[in-house]
């Protein structure tokens, strides 16, 4: 049944309409199923193919390919985007929990043993006791990843910012008041790529609680990932979903 199928001729049809085709086939055999499971567990990108005609053969390849045969369906399962939170703070714990729901792979880095051992982070976050610049040197981030500094300690945050701006992270943001950020910008004045640093981090939601602050920062991170401004939908003209914009421009 299509949307609006039961409407009378003079009734306005919904703006959103589409046709959906569903393939019902047996689950993939054990080797394919195990390969998919391992790739998802290890956060490795994988391409899954299934034939659209009997016997509906399944296959898995580690590298995504754009070539699709007429008689098969291809699904690319990318690795999750990484969100590096610098500072094992209460705000980091709330952000880590929210970011998990957004399907980010969250890493919390803090060199302070007491903060790391506090046990406040959700089990879905990976917690590392390390200096952020050293961690970033060993785990370089890509354009789809983000770094947010939350420690409120310039000795930690500044090292993270310098390392992140020297790398390929797509979004680098720092928590703090406008006065704190002005001081930070003066300290980092000689840092190349300083124009990429976002601060104070977050969208102007007017929130004050930890949850509202976390929402503000994560909302800005999502907007940056999708190349959006973060303004109200009613004030814009772009398609609501960023993927639709990419398709239209492709």
């Amino acid at each position: 049944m299509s949307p609006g199928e039961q409407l009378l001729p003079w009734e306005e049809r919904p703006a959103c309409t589409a046709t959906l085709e569903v393939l019902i086939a047996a689950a993939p055999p054990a080797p394919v199923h195990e390969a998919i499971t391992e790739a998802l567990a290890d956060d490795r990108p994988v391409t899954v193919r299934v034939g659209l005609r009997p016997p509906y053969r399944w296959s898995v390849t580690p590298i995504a390919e754009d070539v699709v045969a007429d008689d098969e369906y291809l699904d690319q399962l990318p690795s999750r985007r990484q969100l590096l939170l610098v500072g094992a703070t209460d705000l980091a714990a709330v952000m880590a929990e929210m970011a998990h729901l957004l399907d980010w792979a969250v890493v919390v880095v803090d060199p302070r043993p007491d903060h790391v051992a506090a046990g406040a982070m959700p089990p879905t976050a990976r917690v590392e006791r390390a200096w952020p610049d050293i961690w970033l040197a060993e785990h370089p981030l890509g354009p789809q990843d983000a770094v947010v500094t939350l420690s409120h300690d310039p000795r930690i945050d500044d090292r993270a910012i310098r390392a992140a701006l020297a790398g390929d992270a797509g979004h680098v943001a720092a928590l703090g008041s406008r006065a704190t950020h002005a001081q930070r910008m003066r300290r980092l004045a000689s840092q190349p790529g300083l124009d990429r640093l976002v601060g104070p981090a977050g969208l102007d939601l007017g929130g004050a609680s930890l949850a509202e602050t976390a929402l503000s920062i994560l909302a800005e991170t999502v907007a940056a990932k999708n190349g959006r401004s973060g303004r109200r939908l009613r004030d814009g003209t772009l398609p609501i979903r960023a993927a639709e914009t990419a398709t239209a421009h492709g």
Side-chain angles (χ1 to χ4, degrees), residues 70-129:
D70 293 336
D71 60 347
E72 69 176 3
Y73 172 78
L74 177 150
D75 193 8
Q76 297 180 353
L77 306 179
S79 57
R80 291 183 298 165
R81 298 176 175 89
Q82 290 194 75
L83 173 61
L84 177 64
L85 302 178
V86 179
T89 63
D90 291 339
L91 177 58
V94 178
M95 285 186 62
E97 194 162 358
M98 287 186 178
H100 174 67
L101 299 177
L102 298 173
D103 203 30
W104 289 80
V106 181
V107 181
V108 181
V109 173
D110 197 316
R112 299 168 294 186
D114 292 343
H115 283 68
V116 172
M121 297 301 128
T124 52
R126 174 181 166 191
V127 182
E128 298 279 356
R129 182 188 171 189

Short mmCIF file of all heavy atoms in Angstrom, two decimals, residues 70-129:
data_model
loop_
_atom_site.label_atom_id
_atom_site.label_comp_id
_atom_site.label_asym_id
_atom_site.label_seq_id
_atom_site.Cartn_x
_atom_site.Cartn_y
_atom_site.Cartn_z
N ASP A 70 23.51 -6.15 -12.05
CA ASP A 70 22.06 -5.96 -12.12
C ASP A 70 21.31 -6.97 -11.26
O ASP A 70 20.17 -6.71 -10.85
CB ASP A 70 21.59 -6.08 -13.57
CG ASP A 70 22.10 -4.93 -14.43
OD1 ASP A 70 22.41 -3.87 -13.86
OD2 ASP A 70 22.20 -5.11 -15.67
N ASP A 71 21.92 -8.13 -11.02
CA ASP A 71 21.21 -9.18 -10.29
C ASP A 71 21.69 -9.31 -8.84
O ASP A 71 21.60 -10.39 -8.25
CB ASP A 71 21.38 -10.52 -11.02
CG ASP A 71 22.84 -10.94 -11.11
OD1 ASP A 71 23.72 -10.08 -10.84
OD2 ASP A 71 23.10 -12.11 -11.43
N GLU A 72 22.21 -8.23 -8.25
CA GLU A 72 22.65 -8.29 -6.87
C GLU A 72 22.38 -6.97 -6.15
O GLU A 72 22.21 -5.92 -6.77
CB GLU A 72 24.13 -8.64 -6.77
CG GLU A 72 25.06 -7.54 -7.25
CD GLU A 72 26.53 -7.87 -7.05
OE1 GLU A 72 26.83 -8.98 -6.60
OE2 GLU A 72 27.37 -7.01 -7.36
N TYR A 73 22.33 -7.08 -4.84
CA TYR A 73 22.17 -5.90 -3.99
C TYR A 73 23.43 -5.74 -3.16
O TYR A 73 23.97 -6.72 -2.63
CB TYR A 73 20.95 -6.04 -3.07
CG TYR A 73 20.84 -4.94 -2.04
CD1 TYR A 73 20.37 -3.68 -2.39
CD2 TYR A 73 21.23 -5.15 -0.71
CE1 TYR A 73 20.27 -2.67 -1.46
CE2 TYR A 73 21.14 -4.14 0.23
CZ TYR A 73 20.66 -2.89 -0.16
OH TYR A 73 20.57 -1.89 0.76
N LEU A 74 23.92 -4.53 -3.03
CA LEU A 74 25.14 -4.25 -2.30
C LEU A 74 24.84 -3.32 -1.14
O LEU A 74 24.11 -2.33 -1.28
CB LEU A 74 26.17 -3.61 -3.24
CG LEU A 74 27.52 -3.16 -2.66
CD1 LEU A 74 28.59 -3.26 -3.75
CD2 LEU A 74 27.45 -1.72 -2.18
N ASP A 75 25.38 -3.64 0.03
CA ASP A 75 25.23 -2.79 1.20
C ASP A 75 26.61 -2.53 1.80
O ASP A 75 27.33 -3.48 2.15
CB ASP A 75 24.33 -3.46 2.24
CG ASP A 75 23.89 -2.47 3.34
OD1 ASP A 75 24.16 -1.26 3.19
OD2 ASP A 75 23.28 -2.91 4.34
N GLN A 76 26.98 -1.28 1.90
CA GLN A 76 28.28 -0.92 2.46
C GLN A 76 28.11 -0.56 3.93
O GLN A 76 27.35 0.35 4.26
CB GLN A 76 28.89 0.25 1.69
CG GLN A 76 29.18 -0.09 0.24
CD GLN A 76 29.79 1.08 -0.51
OE1 GLN A 76 29.88 2.18 0.01
NE2 GLN A 76 30.21 0.84 -1.74
N LEU A 77 28.80 -1.29 4.79
CA LEU A 77 28.75 -1.05 6.23
C LEU A 77 30.05 -0.36 6.63
O LEU A 77 31.08 -1.02 6.81
CB LEU A 77 28.57 -2.36 6.99
CG LEU A 77 27.39 -3.24 6.56
CD1 LEU A 77 27.35 -4.52 7.36
CD2 LEU A 77 26.08 -2.47 6.70
N PRO A 78 30.05 0.97 6.76
CA PRO A 78 31.29 1.67 7.06
C PRO A 78 31.68 1.53 8.52
O PRO A 78 30.85 1.17 9.37
CB PRO A 78 30.95 3.13 6.73
CG PRO A 78 29.48 3.22 7.02
CD PRO A 78 28.91 1.87 6.63
N SER A 79 32.94 1.80 8.82
CA SER A 79 33.34 1.86 10.22
C SER A 79 32.71 3.10 10.85
O SER A 79 32.41 4.08 10.17
CB SER A 79 34.86 1.93 10.34
OG SER A 79 35.36 3.05 9.63
N ARG A 80 32.49 3.04 12.15
CA ARG A 80 31.86 4.17 12.82
C ARG A 80 32.79 5.38 12.88
O ARG A 80 34.00 5.23 12.93
CB ARG A 80 31.44 3.78 14.24
CG ARG A 80 30.30 2.78 14.31
CD ARG A 80 29.92 2.52 15.75
NE ARG A 80 31.04 1.93 16.49
CZ ARG A 80 31.09 1.88 17.82
NH1 ARG A 80 30.12 2.38 18.55
NH2 ARG A 80 32.13 1.32 18.42
N ARG A 81 32.22 6.54 12.88
CA ARG A 81 33.00 7.76 13.09
C ARG A 81 33.47 7.79 14.54
O ARG A 81 32.77 7.37 15.45
CB ARG A 81 32.16 8.99 12.78
CG ARG A 81 31.69 9.06 11.33
CD ARG A 81 30.78 10.25 11.11
NE ARG A 81 30.44 10.40 9.70
CZ ARG A 81 29.39 9.81 9.12
NH1 ARG A 81 28.60 9.03 9.84
NH2 ARG A 81 29.14 9.99 7.85
N GLN A 82 34.66 8.34 14.73
CA GLN A 82 35.23 8.40 16.07
C GLN A 82 35.02 9.79 16.68
O GLN A 82 35.18 10.81 16.00
CB GLN A 82 36.72 8.08 16.05
CG GLN A 82 37.04 6.64 15.74
CD GLN A 82 38.48 6.30 16.08
OE1 GLN A 82 38.85 6.16 17.23
NE2 GLN A 82 39.30 6.18 15.05
N LEU A 83 34.68 9.80 17.96
CA LEU A 83 34.58 11.03 18.73
C LEU A 83 35.57 10.93 19.88
O LEU A 83 35.41 10.09 20.77
CB LEU A 83 33.16 11.22 19.26
CG LEU A 83 32.96 12.40 20.22
CD1 LEU A 83 33.29 13.72 19.53
CD2 LEU A 83 31.54 12.41 20.76
N LEU A 84 36.60 11.77 19.85
CA LEU A 84 37.59 11.79 20.91
C LEU A 84 37.23 12.88 21.90
O LEU A 84 37.20 14.07 21.54
CB LEU A 84 38.99 12.04 20.33
CG LEU A 84 40.12 12.16 21.36
CD1 LEU A 84 40.30 10.85 22.12
CD2 LEU A 84 41.42 12.59 20.70
N LEU A 85 36.96 12.48 23.14
CA LEU A 85 36.67 13.42 24.22
C LEU A 85 37.90 13.52 25.10
O LEU A 85 38.36 12.51 25.64
CB LEU A 85 35.46 12.95 25.03
CG LEU A 85 34.16 12.76 24.23
CD1 LEU A 85 33.05 12.25 25.15
CD2 LEU A 85 33.75 14.05 23.54
N VAL A 86 38.43 14.70 25.24
CA VAL A 86 39.65 14.92 26.02
C VAL A 86 39.26 15.40 27.41
O VAL A 86 38.74 16.50 27.56
CB VAL A 86 40.58 15.93 25.33
CG1 VAL A 86 41.83 16.16 26.17
CG2 VAL A 86 40.94 15.44 23.93
N GLY A 87 39.49 14.55 28.40
CA GLY A 87 39.11 14.87 29.78
C GLY A 87 37.99 13.97 30.26
O GLY A 87 36.88 14.02 29.72
N ALA A 88 38.28 13.12 31.25
CA ALA A 88 37.27 12.19 31.77
C ALA A 88 36.43 12.90 32.83
O ALA A 88 36.51 12.63 34.02
CB ALA A 88 37.95 10.95 32.36
N THR A 89 35.59 13.83 32.37
CA THR A 89 34.78 14.66 33.25
C THR A 89 33.34 14.16 33.27
O THR A 89 32.96 13.27 32.50
CB THR A 89 34.80 16.11 32.77
OG1 THR A 89 34.21 16.17 31.46
CG2 THR A 89 36.24 16.63 32.70
N ASP A 90 32.54 14.76 34.14
CA ASP A 90 31.12 14.40 34.19
C ASP A 90 30.44 14.72 32.85
O ASP A 90 29.58 13.97 32.39
CB ASP A 90 30.42 15.15 35.32
CG ASP A 90 30.85 14.68 36.70
OD1 ASP A 90 31.37 13.55 36.80
OD2 ASP A 90 30.69 15.44 37.68
N LEU A 91 30.81 15.84 32.25
CA LEU A 91 30.24 16.19 30.95
C LEU A 91 30.64 15.17 29.89
O LEU A 91 29.82 14.78 29.05
CB LEU A 91 30.69 17.59 30.53
CG LEU A 91 30.24 18.07 29.15
CD1 LEU A 91 28.71 18.04 29.04
CD2 LEU A 91 30.78 19.47 28.87
N ALA A 92 31.87 14.70 29.94
CA ALA A 92 32.32 13.68 28.99
C ALA A 92 31.49 12.41 29.14
O ALA A 92 31.16 11.76 28.13
CB ALA A 92 33.80 13.37 29.21
N ALA A 93 31.13 12.05 30.36
CA ALA A 93 30.32 10.84 30.58
C ALA A 93 28.95 10.98 29.92
O ALA A 93 28.45 10.05 29.28
CB ALA A 93 30.19 10.58 32.07
N VAL A 94 28.34 12.15 30.07
CA VAL A 94 27.02 12.37 29.47
C VAL A 94 27.14 12.40 27.95
O VAL A 94 26.31 11.82 27.23
CB VAL A 94 26.40 13.68 30.00
CG1 VAL A 94 25.04 13.93 29.34
CG2 VAL A 94 26.23 13.62 31.51
N MET A 95 28.16 13.08 27.45
CA MET A 95 28.36 13.13 26.00
C MET A 95 28.63 11.76 25.42
O MET A 95 28.13 11.42 24.35
CB MET A 95 29.52 14.08 25.67
CG MET A 95 29.19 15.55 25.79
SD MET A 95 30.56 16.60 25.20
CE MET A 95 30.67 16.11 23.48
N ALA A 96 29.41 10.95 26.13
CA ALA A 96 29.73 9.60 25.65
C ALA A 96 28.47 8.76 25.54
O ALA A 96 28.29 8.00 24.58
CB ALA A 96 30.74 8.94 26.58
N GLU A 97 27.59 8.89 26.51
CA GLU A 97 26.35 8.12 26.48
C GLU A 97 25.46 8.55 25.33
O GLU A 97 24.87 7.72 24.62
CB GLU A 97 25.61 8.27 27.82
CG GLU A 97 24.50 7.27 28.02
CD GLU A 97 24.08 7.15 29.47
OE1 GLU A 97 24.67 7.81 30.33
OE2 GLU A 97 23.14 6.37 29.72
N MET A 98 25.34 9.85 25.12
CA MET A 98 24.52 10.36 24.01
C MET A 98 25.14 9.99 22.67
O MET A 98 24.43 9.60 21.74
CB MET A 98 24.39 11.88 24.11
CG MET A 98 23.49 12.38 25.21
SD MET A 98 23.30 14.20 25.09
CE MET A 98 22.17 14.50 26.45
N ALA A 99 26.45 10.12 22.56
CA ALA A 99 27.13 9.86 21.30
C ALA A 99 27.00 8.40 20.88
O ALA A 99 26.97 8.08 19.69
CB ALA A 99 28.60 10.25 21.38
N HIS A 100 26.92 7.50 21.86
CA HIS A 100 26.71 6.08 21.54
C HIS A 100 25.39 5.89 20.81
O HIS A 100 25.30 5.08 19.87
CB HIS A 100 26.74 5.25 22.82
CG HIS A 100 26.41 3.80 22.60
ND1 HIS A 100 27.22 2.94 21.89
CD2 HIS A 100 25.33 3.07 22.99
CE1 HIS A 100 26.66 1.75 21.84
NE2 HIS A 100 25.51 1.80 22.50
N LEU A 101 24.37 6.62 21.20
CA LEU A 101 23.07 6.52 20.54
C LEU A 101 23.14 7.06 19.11
O LEU A 101 22.33 6.70 18.26
CB LEU A 101 22.01 7.29 21.34
CG LEU A 101 21.76 6.80 22.76
CD1 LEU A 101 20.75 7.70 23.48
CD2 LEU A 101 21.26 5.37 22.76
N LEU A 102 24.11 7.94 18.86
CA LEU A 102 24.32 8.49 17.52
C LEU A 102 25.27 7.62 16.70
O LEU A 102 25.64 7.99 15.57
CB LEU A 102 24.89 9.91 17.62
CG LEU A 102 23.99 10.93 18.32
CD1 LEU A 102 24.74 12.26 18.50
CD2 LEU A 102 22.71 11.15 17.55
N ASP A 103 25.67 6.48 17.25
CA ASP A 103 26.54 5.52 16.57
C ASP A 103 27.95 6.05 16.35
O ASP A 103 28.61 5.70 15.37
CB ASP A 103 25.93 5.05 15.25
CG ASP A 103 26.50 3.69 14.81
OD1 ASP A 103 26.84 2.90 15.71
OD2 ASP A 103 26.59 3.45 13.60
N TRP A 104 28.44 6.90 17.26
CA TRP A 104 29.84 7.30 17.25
C TRP A 104 30.63 6.30 18.08
O TRP A 104 30.15 5.80 19.10
CB TRP A 104 30.02 8.68 17.87
CG TRP A 104 29.49 9.82 17.05
CD1 TRP A 104 28.20 10.22 16.95
CD2 TRP A 104 30.25 10.72 16.23
NE1 TRP A 104 28.10 11.31 16.12
CE2 TRP A 104 29.35 11.63 15.66
CE3 TRP A 104 31.61 10.83 15.93
CZ2 TRP A 104 29.75 12.65 14.81
CZ3 TRP A 104 32.01 11.85 15.08
CH2 TRP A 104 31.10 12.75 14.52
N ALA A 105 31.85 6.03 17.65
CA ALA A 105 32.78 5.25 18.48
C ALA A 105 33.50 6.25 19.39
O ALA A 105 34.28 7.07 18.91
CB ALA A 105 33.79 4.51 17.60
N VAL A 106 33.21 6.19 20.68
CA VAL A 106 33.68 7.22 21.61
C VAL A 106 34.94 6.75 22.34
O VAL A 106 34.98 5.65 22.89
CB VAL A 106 32.59 7.57 22.64
CG1 VAL A 106 33.07 8.67 23.58
CG2 VAL A 106 31.31 8.01 21.93
N VAL A 107 35.96 7.62 22.34
CA VAL A 107 37.18 7.39 23.10
C VAL A 107 37.37 8.58 24.04
O VAL A 107 37.29 9.73 23.60
CB VAL A 107 38.41 7.25 22.18
CG1 VAL A 107 39.67 6.99 23.02
CG2 VAL A 107 38.20 6.13 21.17
N VAL A 108 37.57 8.29 25.32
CA VAL A 108 37.83 9.33 26.31
C VAL A 108 39.28 9.20 26.74
O VAL A 108 39.72 8.15 27.20
CB VAL A 108 36.90 9.19 27.53
CG1 VAL A 108 37.19 10.29 28.55
CG2 VAL A 108 35.44 9.22 27.10
N VAL A 109 40.04 10.28 26.57
CA VAL A 109 41.47 10.28 26.88
C VAL A 109 41.75 11.28 27.99
O VAL A 109 41.29 12.43 27.94
CB VAL A 109 42.31 10.63 25.63
CG1 VAL A 109 43.77 10.78 26.01
CG2 VAL A 109 42.16 9.54 24.59
N ASP A 110 42.49 10.84 29.00
CA ASP A 110 42.84 11.72 30.12
C ASP A 110 44.10 11.18 30.77
O ASP A 110 44.16 9.98 31.08
CB ASP A 110 41.69 11.78 31.13
CG ASP A 110 41.80 12.97 32.08
OD1 ASP A 110 42.91 13.23 32.57
OD2 ASP A 110 40.77 13.62 32.33
N PRO A 111 45.14 12.00 30.98
CA PRO A 111 46.36 11.50 31.60
C PRO A 111 46.28 11.41 33.12
O PRO A 111 47.18 10.85 33.76
CB PRO A 111 47.41 12.53 31.18
CG PRO A 111 46.64 13.80 31.06
CD PRO A 111 45.28 13.41 30.54
N ARG A 112 45.20 11.94 33.72
CA ARG A 112 45.08 12.00 35.17
C ARG A 112 44.52 10.68 35.71
O ARG A 112 43.38 10.32 35.40
CB ARG A 112 44.19 13.17 35.57
CG ARG A 112 44.73 14.52 35.11
CD ARG A 112 43.72 15.64 35.26
NE ARG A 112 42.57 15.47 34.37
CZ ARG A 112 41.60 16.39 34.22
NH1 ARG A 112 41.66 17.53 34.89
NH2 ARG A 112 40.59 16.15 33.41
N PRO A 113 45.28 9.96 36.52
CA PRO A 113 44.85 8.63 36.98
C PRO A 113 43.54 8.65 37.77
O PRO A 113 42.72 7.75 37.63
CB PRO A 113 46.02 8.14 37.84
CG PRO A 113 46.78 9.37 38.20
CD PRO A 113 46.61 10.31 37.06
N ASP A 114 43.34 9.66 38.61
CA ASP A 114 42.12 9.72 39.41
C ASP A 114 40.88 9.88 38.55
O ASP A 114 39.83 9.30 38.83
CB ASP A 114 42.20 10.86 40.42
CG ASP A 114 43.24 10.62 41.50
OD1 ASP A 114 43.67 9.45 41.66
OD2 ASP A 114 43.65 11.58 42.18
N HIS A 115 40.98 10.67 37.49
CA HIS A 115 39.83 10.87 36.62
C HIS A 115 39.51 9.60 35.84
O HIS A 115 38.35 9.21 35.70
CB HIS A 115 40.10 12.02 35.64
CG HIS A 115 39.97 13.38 36.25
ND1 HIS A 115 40.85 13.85 37.20
CD2 HIS A 115 39.07 14.37 36.05
CE1 HIS A 115 40.51 15.07 37.56
NE2 HIS A 115 39.42 15.41 36.89
N VAL A 116 40.56 8.94 35.34
CA VAL A 116 40.34 7.73 34.54
C VAL A 116 39.78 6.60 35.41
O VAL A 116 38.95 5.81 34.96
CB VAL A 116 41.66 7.30 33.87
CG1 VAL A 116 41.52 5.93 33.21
CG2 VAL A 116 42.11 8.35 32.86
N ALA A 117 40.23 6.55 36.66
CA ALA A 117 39.81 5.46 37.56
C ALA A 117 38.48 5.74 38.24
O ALA A 117 37.98 4.91 39.00
CB ALA A 117 40.88 5.22 38.61
N ALA A 118 37.86 6.89 37.97
CA ALA A 118 36.63 7.25 38.67
C ALA A 118 35.47 6.32 38.32
O ALA A 118 34.53 6.17 39.10
CB ALA A 118 36.26 8.70 38.36
N GLY A 119 35.52 5.72 37.13
CA GLY A 119 34.46 4.79 36.74
C GLY A 119 33.17 5.44 36.33
O GLY A 119 32.12 4.80 36.31
N ALA A 120 33.21 6.73 35.99
CA ALA A 120 31.99 7.43 35.63
C ALA A 120 31.59 7.24 34.18
O ALA A 120 30.45 7.53 33.81
CB ALA A 120 32.16 8.93 35.90
N MET A 121 32.49 6.77 33.35
CA MET A 121 32.20 6.64 31.93
C MET A 121 31.30 5.44 31.64
O MET A 121 31.43 4.40 32.30
CB MET A 121 33.49 6.49 31.13
CG MET A 121 34.41 7.70 31.20
SD MET A 121 33.66 9.22 30.62
CE MET A 121 33.99 10.28 32.03
N PRO A 122 30.40 5.55 30.68
CA PRO A 122 29.56 4.40 30.32
C PRO A 122 30.40 3.29 29.71
O PRO A 122 31.47 3.56 29.13
CB PRO A 122 28.58 5.00 29.30
CG PRO A 122 29.29 6.18 28.74
CD PRO A 122 30.11 6.74 29.87
N PRO A 123 29.95 2.05 29.81
CA PRO A 123 30.75 0.93 29.28
C PRO A 123 30.92 0.97 27.77
O PRO A 123 31.80 0.29 27.23
CB PRO A 123 29.95 -0.31 29.71
CG PRO A 123 28.56 0.19 29.95
CD PRO A 123 28.70 1.60 30.44
N THR A 124 30.11 1.76 27.07
CA THR A 124 30.21 1.84 25.62
C THR A 124 31.38 2.72 25.18
O THR A 124 31.74 2.73 24.00
CB THR A 124 28.91 2.41 25.02
OG1 THR A 124 28.59 3.64 25.69
CG2 THR A 124 27.77 1.42 25.21
N ALA A 125 31.97 3.47 26.11
CA ALA A 125 33.09 4.35 25.77
C ALA A 125 34.41 3.66 26.10
O ALA A 125 34.53 2.95 27.09
CB ALA A 125 32.99 5.66 26.53
N ARG A 126 35.39 3.89 25.26
CA ARG A 126 36.73 3.38 25.51
C ARG A 126 37.52 4.46 26.26
O ARG A 126 37.64 5.59 25.78
CB ARG A 126 37.40 3.06 24.17
CG ARG A 126 38.86 2.65 24.25
CD ARG A 126 39.35 2.40 22.84
NE ARG A 126 40.80 2.32 22.73
CZ ARG A 126 41.47 2.33 21.58
NH1 ARG A 126 40.78 2.41 20.45
NH2 ARG A 126 42.78 2.24 21.56
N VAL A 127 38.01 4.15 27.43
CA VAL A 127 38.71 5.12 28.27
C VAL A 127 40.21 4.81 28.26
O VAL A 127 40.61 3.67 28.52
CB VAL A 127 38.17 5.10 29.71
CG1 VAL A 127 38.87 6.16 30.56
CG2 VAL A 127 36.66 5.32 29.72
N GLU A 128 41.02 5.82 27.96
CA GLU A 128 42.46 5.65 27.86
C GLU A 128 43.15 6.65 28.79
O GLU A 128 42.86 7.85 28.74
CB GLU A 128 42.93 5.89 26.43
CG GLU A 128 42.36 4.92 25.40
CD GLU A 128 43.10 3.60 25.38
OE1 GLU A 128 44.10 3.47 26.11
OE2 GLU A 128 42.67 2.71 24.62
N ARG A 129 44.07 6.14 29.62
CA ARG A 129 44.90 7.05 30.40
C ARG A 129 46.13 7.38 29.56
O ARG A 129 47.06 6.58 29.41
CB ARG A 129 45.33 6.41 31.72
CG ARG A 129 46.18 7.37 32.57
CD ARG A 129 46.78 6.69 33.78
NE ARG A 129 47.74 7.58 34.43
CZ ARG A 129 48.55 7.21 35.42
NH1 ARG A 129 48.52 5.96 35.87
NH2 ARG A 129 49.39 8.08 35.95
#
